[in-house]
Amino acid sequence: MKISYKWMLVLLYALYLYVLLKVILFKFGSVDLSVLWQQLHRATEIPEYVQNRLQFANFTPFESIRMNMKHLSSGHDVINLFGNIAIFMPNGIFVGLMLRNKIFGFIGSFTTSLGLSLGLECSQLVFSMGSFDVDDLILNTAGGVLGHGVFLVLKLTLAGTTMPIDERRGRTDKPLTGNE
């Protein structure tokens, strides 16, 4: 039973990573590895493409976040701000499920979210399929950590509902009055 749970978790995480790749790198288009190969080939033969992408990159922390906060009436800015957080929340939940340790889970959620985000942001730069933005790293990492926090809250909440109240308090002889 535990093996099937672990395999199911790994398969769901792989599916999540596929969706992450599809959304961030391919902008909801089909995942076509030949396109990546062509883009990489173009970038190595004509380095100006990468240099051009660097001109549009944001290396100043909180610059894009500040701009998005000023324009929350724009759907694009709302999606950019909150979407970057939301899309990495499942990563924190998956890491929490896989590691099952609060400290390692938090560190794992932080490092995997940062690493995945950095890899995807650099891929956008190299493959000329988007632009590098340090604020995306910040928001994605925050999303992974927030996801781990949601996992911990759900874990505590669900753990509290698996036993009757009297068993949790260690009291089976009299009802709880709220003063215990």
Side-chain angles (χ1 to χ4, degrees):
M1 174 102 174
K2 287 187 179 188
I3 293 174
S4 64
Y5 169 78
K6 287 181 183 180
W7 278 109
M8 182 62 86
L9 198 57
V10 168
L11 288 174
L12 286 172
Y13 189 60
L15 178 64
Y16 164 72
L17 293 175
Y18 173 80
V19 170
L20 198 62
L21 185 73
K22 185 176 177 73
V23 170
I24 293 178
L25 199 55
F26 290 94
K27 311 298 183 222
F28 295 98
S30 63
V31 176
D32 188 353
L33 296 180
S34 65
V35 170
L36 288 181
W37 183 252
Q38 290 170 352
Q39 293 293 96
L40 182 61
H41 184 69
R42 185 173 78 167
T44 55
E45 286 190 353
I46 309 169
E48 290 82 24
Y49 282 114
V50 175
Q51 291 171 344
N52 184 37
R53 301 311 306 165
L54 281 170
Q55 291 176 348
F56 294 103
N58 172 31
F59 295 105
T60 307
F62 302 105
E63 184 175 310
S64 296
I65 294 171
R66 197 172 316 119
M67 296 291 276
N68 291 143
M69 294 295 284
K70 286 182 182 178
H71 302 100
L72 284 179
S73 60
S74 162
H76 176 356
D77 290 320
V78 170
I79 289 171
N80 189 46
L81 187 64
F82 297 109
N84 276 310
I85 294 170
I87 199 163
F88 269 77
M89 286 179 70
N91 186 64
I93 294 169
F94 276 116
V95 170
L97 286 168
M98 288 187 269
L99 294 180
R100 296 187 175 251
N101 180 302
K102 281 189 242 182
I103 300 297
F104 289 132
F106 172 79
I107 293 169
S109 295
F110 178 84
T111 56
T112 58
S113 296
L114 179 62
L116 277 171
S117 182
L118 182 61
L120 289 166
E121 290 297 314
C122 290
S123 294
Q124 288 183 71
L125 187 64
V126 169
F127 295 120
S128 298
M129 299 177 83
S131 60
F132 182 94
D133 190 345
V134 71
D135 288 342
D136 288 351
L137 291 174
I138 293 167
L139 293 170
N140 294 159
T141 304
V145 170
L146 185 62
H148 185 71
V150 167
F151 164 75
L152 290 176
V153 168
L154 287 173
K155 184 178 172 183
L156 289 172
T157 303
L158 294 174
T161 61
T162 59
M163 288 188 259
I165 294 174
D166 293 337
E167 287 180 29
R168 280 190 292 153
R169 298 281 186 168
R171 307 183 90 169
T172 57
D173 56 336
K174 58 182 180 178
L176 294 176
T177 62
N179 297 326
E180 286 82 24

